[in-house]
């Protein structure tokens, strides 16, 4: 059938069967993190239709072993190769294959026994395994937004060429996806991406100059891993999400508006050409978007707490404070410039956030480092995962040297 869409969301290229006749077999990358552990709760509650085939973690061998004993996957991968003997020994009597290292991650996602790859790794480390999974035509449930930020063009082209699909896990993108269900033939005039504003909403530059990592890690609405929590405090998280939305939904960044919504009840909205606006609402709970990505297009029952409107009588919306939180505009700028620039921005941000978490730099050094990195990079257009990863390494080494 002719594709009549004027935009090209990457999820539409591989429609799922309406009814799940067989269990969906999942490779869960990053099972020990915030998204990973919540995904396992979802799988546990739907063990009749969802099954874990692969579990992976970087360093937390004890939790990985515990998860493996509970979910009996076919395979586990421990990223840190030094921990391989420890994990092997612990799972010696279980019928589970144990591998280690980044190459093993790339291999396991391509196995025939895997239907869905849920990528809950943090940072650019998610890039290579997701690309391999796309090449194998798998369905990706994407939490690792950095994959699309760094290499959105390469990834979305590979999705089309290999008959793969990407379904969003990020709550805002899941909301947009849910608003678009049944509307894939209708052009979008605007995406309204909501942001909680993070722990420092309403503060000015002078008040934030000396904030510590503990202040920044105190998110008002969401409990997440440390990197994404710092990204939320700087608003870089929203910047990354603007670029993620651009690639997922095929909408230019000019049509993506960021709105601060401190209650985190409206997870995002879509405005159509006739002026109608659709929104998806719910309590802040990542299990819902995780479940939707794993069971799409079905909605399965859940025991998640329900939204009671009388408990949330006031929903407010405001413009982001772009002066106090310059990372947001840095992301728009990098995205408009395109090519290697979002990759450079992401690498500089990952380095800066790591340095901030180690207490080695201040809050405003984060945007400063990113801006410097963007300013001192000459435009280029990477064409492979290896080239993106090379640029990522160069930027990180340069920042470490300085
Ligand atoms: P986290 O730090 O809690 O967990 C990260 C996971 O990745 C862990 O299992 C860890 O073992 C694994 N990992 C870390 N480095 C790795 C490496 N080099 N190679 C392989 N595996 C590695 O992170 P999180 O908060 O769960 O976030 C994961 C991703 O999901 C991020 O991209 C984040 O932006 C995105 N996300 C998270 C949330 C949330 O609520 N936590 C919401 C939306 C999107
Ligand atoms: Mg989000």
């Amino acid at each position: 059938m002719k594709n009549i869409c004027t935009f090209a969301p990457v999820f539409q290229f591989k429609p799922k069967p309406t009814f799940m006749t067989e269990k969906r077999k999942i490779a869960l990358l990053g099972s020990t993190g915030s998204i990973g552990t919540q995904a396992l709760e979802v799988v546990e509650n739907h063990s009749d239709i969802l099954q874990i085939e692969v579990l992976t973690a970087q360093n937390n061998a004890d939790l990985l072993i515990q998860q493996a004993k509970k979910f009996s996957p076919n395979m586990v991968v421990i990223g840190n190769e030094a921990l391989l003997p420890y994990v092997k020994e612990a799972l010696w009597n279980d019928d589970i294959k144990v591998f280690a290292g980044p190459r093993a991650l790339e291999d396991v996602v391509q196995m025939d026994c895997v239907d869905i790859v849920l990528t809950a790794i943090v940072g650019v480390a998610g890039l290579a395994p997701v690309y391999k999974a796309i090449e194998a035509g798998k369905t990706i449930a994407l939490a690792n937004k950095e994959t699309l930020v760094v290499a959105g063009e390469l990834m979305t082209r590979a999705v089309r060429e290999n008959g793969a699909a990407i379904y969003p896990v990020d709550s805002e993108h899941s909301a947009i996806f849910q608003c678009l269900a049944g509307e894939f033939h209708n052009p979008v005039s605007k995406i309204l991406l909501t942001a909680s504003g993070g722990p420092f909403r309403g503060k000015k530059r002078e008040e934030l100059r000396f904030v510590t990592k503990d202040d920044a890690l105190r998110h008002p609405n969401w409990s997440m891993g440390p990197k994404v929590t710092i990204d939320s405090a700087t608003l870089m998280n929203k910047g990354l999400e603007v670029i993620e939305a651009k690639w997922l939904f095929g909408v230019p960044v000019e049509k993506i508006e960021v709105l601060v919504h401190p209650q985190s009840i409206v997870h995002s909205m879509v405005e159509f050409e006739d002026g109608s606006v659709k929104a998806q609402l719910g309590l802040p709970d990542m299990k819902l978007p995780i479940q939707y990505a794993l069971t799409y297009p079905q909605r399965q029952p859940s025991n998640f707490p329900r939204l009671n409107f009388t408990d949330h009588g006031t929903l407010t919306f405001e413009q982001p404070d772009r002066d106090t939180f310059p990372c947001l505009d840095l992301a728009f700028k990098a995205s408009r410039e395109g090519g290697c620039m979002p990759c450079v921005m992401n690498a500089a941000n990952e380095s800066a956030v790591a340095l901030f978490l180690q207490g080695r730099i201040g809050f405003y050094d984060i945007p400063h480092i990113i801006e410097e990195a963007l300013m001192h990079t000459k435009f280029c257009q990477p064409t492979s995962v290896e080239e993106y990863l090379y640029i990522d390494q160069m930027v990180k080494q340069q920042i470490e040297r300085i």
Side-chain angles (χ1 to χ4, degrees):
M1 200 178 80
K2 194 166 160 274
N3 177 10
I4 54 165
C5 277
T6 51
F7 66 107
V10 286
F11 46 78
Q12 71 175 14
F13 291 93
K14 191 179 176 190
K16 289 274 172 215
T18 311
F19 295 103
M20 282 189 273
T21 48
E22 286 175 26
K23 282 191 183 186
R24 288 185 183 167
K25 302 193 182 92
I26 301 164
L28 174 48
L29 312 186
S31 64
T32 55
S34 161
I35 294 288
T37 49
Q38 294 181 82
L40 287 176
E41 283 183 54
V42 170
V43 172
E44 192 176 4
N45 288 335
H46 292 286
S47 54
D48 51 330
I49 52 167
L50 303 174
Q51 180 180 318
I52 293 291
E53 281 293 311
V54 179
L55 292 174
T56 86
Q58 183 63 10
N59 287 312
N60 193 343
D62 288 325
L63 183 54
L64 180 68
I65 291 162
Q66 201 183 313
Q67 292 174 337
K69 288 193 177 283
K70 181 165 176 184
F71 288 88
S72 304
N74 210 330
M75 290 159 274
V76 302
V77 180
I78 181 81
N80 181 344
E81 291 172 64
L83 294 167
L84 178 64
Y86 179 72
V87 179
K88 263 196 164 161
E89 161 123 33
L91 297 176
W92 189 254
N93 288 323
D94 302 84
D95 188 18
I96 300 170
K97 299 175 205 77
V98 184
F99 304 102
R103 286 262 173 262
L105 270 187
E106 295 176 26
D107 292 340
V108 292
V109 295
Q110 297 202 313
M111 305 284 291
D112 283 343
C113 59
V114 170
D115 299 317
I116 302 182
V117 176
L118 198 170
T119 164
I121 291 177
V122 62
V124 78
L127 218 69
V130 172
Y131 192 69
K132 288 287 176 190
I134 293 173
E135 279 188 323
K138 305 293 183 193
T139 295
I140 313 293
L142 186 91
N144 177 263
K145 59 192 89 182
E146 294 90 344
T147 298
L148 286 181
V149 171
V150 171
E153 195 169 350
L154 184 75
M155 294 289 164
T156 50
R157 193 180 327 119
V159 164
R160 290 180 188 110
E161 286 171 1
N162 294 287
I166 301 180
Y167 300 130
V169 167
D170 218 341
S171 57
E172 297 79 359
H173 304 74
S174 176
I176 297 160
F177 183 29
Q178 293 179 56
C179 293
L180 288 173
E183 303 271 9
F184 296 144
H185 55 291
N186 281 324
V188 167
S189 69
K190 191 155 66 172
I191 282 178
L192 296 140
L193 199 67
T194 53
S196 69
F200 302 141
R201 183 181 65 86
K203 298 253 187 293
K204 290 289 166 205
R205 269 179 184 259
E206 311 74 64
E207 299 170 85
L208 296 180
R209 219 166 284 283
F210 300 110
V211 289
T212 64
K213 72 168 188 180
D214 292 334
D215 302 322
L217 284 171
R218 234 170 270 133
H219 197 282
N221 303 344
W222 298 95
S223 161
M224 310 179 283
K227 195 257 177 184
V228 58
T229 309
I230 301 301
D231 285 346
S232 297
T234 61
L235 282 204
M236 178 50 92
N237 184 48
K238 217 40 59 179
L240 300 178
E241 290 184 358
V242 167
I243 305 176
E244 183 186 11
K246 162 184 157 167
W247 291 114
L248 271 174
F249 306 113
V251 171
V253 289
E254 291 71 28
K255 287 189 171 189
I256 303 174
E257 184 180 330
V258 173
L259 264 186
V260 174
H261 167 50
Q263 298 80 18
S264 296
I265 297 293
V266 176
H267 295 308
S268 275
M269 300 176 262
V270 177
E271 184 190 295
F272 293 93
E273 281 203 323
D274 59 359
S276 180
V277 177
K278 282 170 85 173
Q280 186 261 338
L281 283 71
L283 293 172
D285 183 347
M286 284 307 296
K287 290 197 286 298
L288 201 148
I290 292 169
Q291 176 168 310
Y292 192 69
L294 294 177
T295 66
Y296 174 81
Q298 290 190 17
R299 289 189 185 274
Q300 292 290 331
S302 84
N303 55 6
F304 312 145
R306 303 288 142 144
L307 174 61
N308 179 345
F309 277 88
T310 52
D311 291 344
H312 300 273
T314 310
L315 299 181
T316 59
F317 301 89
E318 57 198 64
Q319 290 298 323
D321 179 347
R322 303 184 111 93
D323 177 53
T324 307
F325 302 101
C327 284
L328 183 59
D329 280 342
L330 288 174
F332 271 93
K333 182 173 178 285
S335 179
R336 278 195 202 97
E337 288 178 18
C340 63
M341 293 306 185
C343 172
V344 171
M345 178 198 74
N346 183 71
N349 182 55
E350 283 187 20
S351 284
V353 169
L355 291 169
F356 179 72
L357 283 169
Q358 293 158 18
R360 288 166 66 192
I361 61 169
F363 188 68
Y364 277 108
D365 291 325
I366 299 175
H368 181 68
I369 286 173
I370 299 167
E371 199 169 7
E372 287 283 308
L374 287 172
M375 240 162 52
H376 291 107
T377 303
K378 244 174 71 188
F379 180 90
C380 64
Q381 181 61 68
T383 54
S384 65
V385 169
E386 291 72 27
E387 284 177 26
Y388 280 111
L389 293 179
Y390 177 76
I391 293 169
D392 176 82
Q393 275 313 305
M394 289 298 108
V395 173
K396 286 176 177 168
Q397 282 171 14
Q398 180 74 6
I399 291 170
E400 193 52 41
R401 266 202 298 275
I402 293 170

